[in-house]
Amino acid sequence: MRRVVFIVFILAALAFTNKDTAVNNTSIVVSSKSTLVVKGTTNVNTFKCVFDSKRLKNPVSVTYFSNGEKLKFRETALVLDNGCFDCGGKGINRDFQKILKSESYPQIKLILKETSSLEDKNNVQTLVDVEIAGIKREYKIPVTVKKNGSTLINGGLKVCLSDYNLEQPKKMFGLITVDNEIFIDFNLVVE
């Protein structure tokens, strides 16, 4: 009986193995020249919170394999400490930390899952999980990739606070309210 189970296990493993697919491991460094900005609006103004890219945790481990025209990634994430965002003042920084529930969830994670072929560098489709306040949502993001000594990756996405069970803060007895949609723009310099 053990032999039968062992043979079935081996055959099952071989059935799901593609000899053309090799898992590659590497690491990258996201340069301090990179920018990542969270932008939003209120009913009276706009705001932006800039991530201090000098405080990124480098190097970033990258595990990937080819799957037809796509690259698939495993455990490849850019981890952003919430305390590294500067919104322009102590009060708004504190409000931003409160919105993100930073006491319980001190990090935002951008988890790379998949990219389309890198042949058309002006239109690379990426599949990314964004984890905020312990909730993970999947997004398809178009990005551009340029080589100029380093690799430049540019893109952006729109997220809704309500998708992460985050409350839109209100100030001055509800007279000022942050809109539900926020925008994340990134220009990553990767070495």
Side-chain angles (χ1 to χ4, degrees):
M1 181 65 177
R2 286 185 180 170
R3 282 187 181 168
V4 171
V5 171
F6 180 74
I7 291 172
V8 169
F9 176 77
I10 295 296
L11 290 175
L14 290 174
F16 292 105
T17 302
N18 182 349
K19 60 185 171 190
D20 294 334
T21 303
V23 175
N24 299 290
N25 294 305
T26 189
S27 61
I28 60 167
V29 173
V30 180
S31 169
S32 61
K33 297 174 188 170
S34 301
T35 60
L36 189 137
V37 180
V38 176
K39 299 176 184 177
T41 57
T42 70
N43 56 336
V44 295
N45 209 348
T46 62
F47 67 90
K48 71 177 182 177
C49 300
V50 179
F51 186 81
D52 182 359
S53 57
K54 292 176 187 158
R55 296 181 56 195
L56 281 169
K57 293 179 177 142
N58 276 308
V60 176
S61 177
V62 178
T63 302
Y64 65 97
F65 62 95
S66 178
N67 186 353
E69 299 261 331
K70 299 180 180 183
L71 289 177
K72 301 249 182 186
F73 295 84
R74 292 187 200 149
E75 301 172 19
T76 301
L78 190 59
V79 179
L80 309 173
D81 289 330
N82 294 349
C84 295
F85 282 96
D86 182 8
C87 304
K90 288 183 181 181
I92 193 167
N93 285 349
R94 186 176 52 248
D95 291 344
F96 188 69
Q97 297 302 315
K98 188 175 178 183
I99 291 170
L100 296 176
K101 302 178 182 176
S102 293
E103 282 190 24
S104 300
Y105 306 98
Q107 298 173 325
I108 295 173
K109 295 179 184 170
L110 307 172
I111 305 159
L112 181 59
K113 295 173 66 176
E114 176 182 294
T115 65
S116 63
S117 171
L118 296 177
E119 304 263 333
D120 180 8
K121 295 178 190 249
N122 291 321
N123 188 23
V124 177
Q125 293 296 317
T126 59
L127 189 60
V128 176
D129 280 344
V130 177
E131 185 177 325
I132 301 172
I135 296 175
K136 196 182 292 184
R137 298 281 184 240
E138 184 177 85
Y139 297 91
K140 284 187 179 178
I141 306 171
V143 300
T144 58
V145 178
K146 295 178 184 170
K147 280 276 206 190
N148 186 14
S150 300
T151 302
L152 310 173
I153 304 168
N154 301 310
L157 72 142
K158 174 178 69 172
V159 300
C160 293
L161 295 174
S162 58
D163 289 344
Y164 295 93
N165 295 332
L166 301 175
E167 290 185 34
Q168 297 168 246
K170 297 177 179 163
K171 290 291 184 181
M172 297 184 66
F173 307 105
L175 294 175
I176 301 174
T177 306
V178 172
D179 293 333
N180 187 42
E181 292 181 343
I182 59 172
F183 301 89
I184 302 171
D185 291 327
F186 55 89
N187 296 295
L188 304 177
V189 180
V190 177
E191 300 169 347

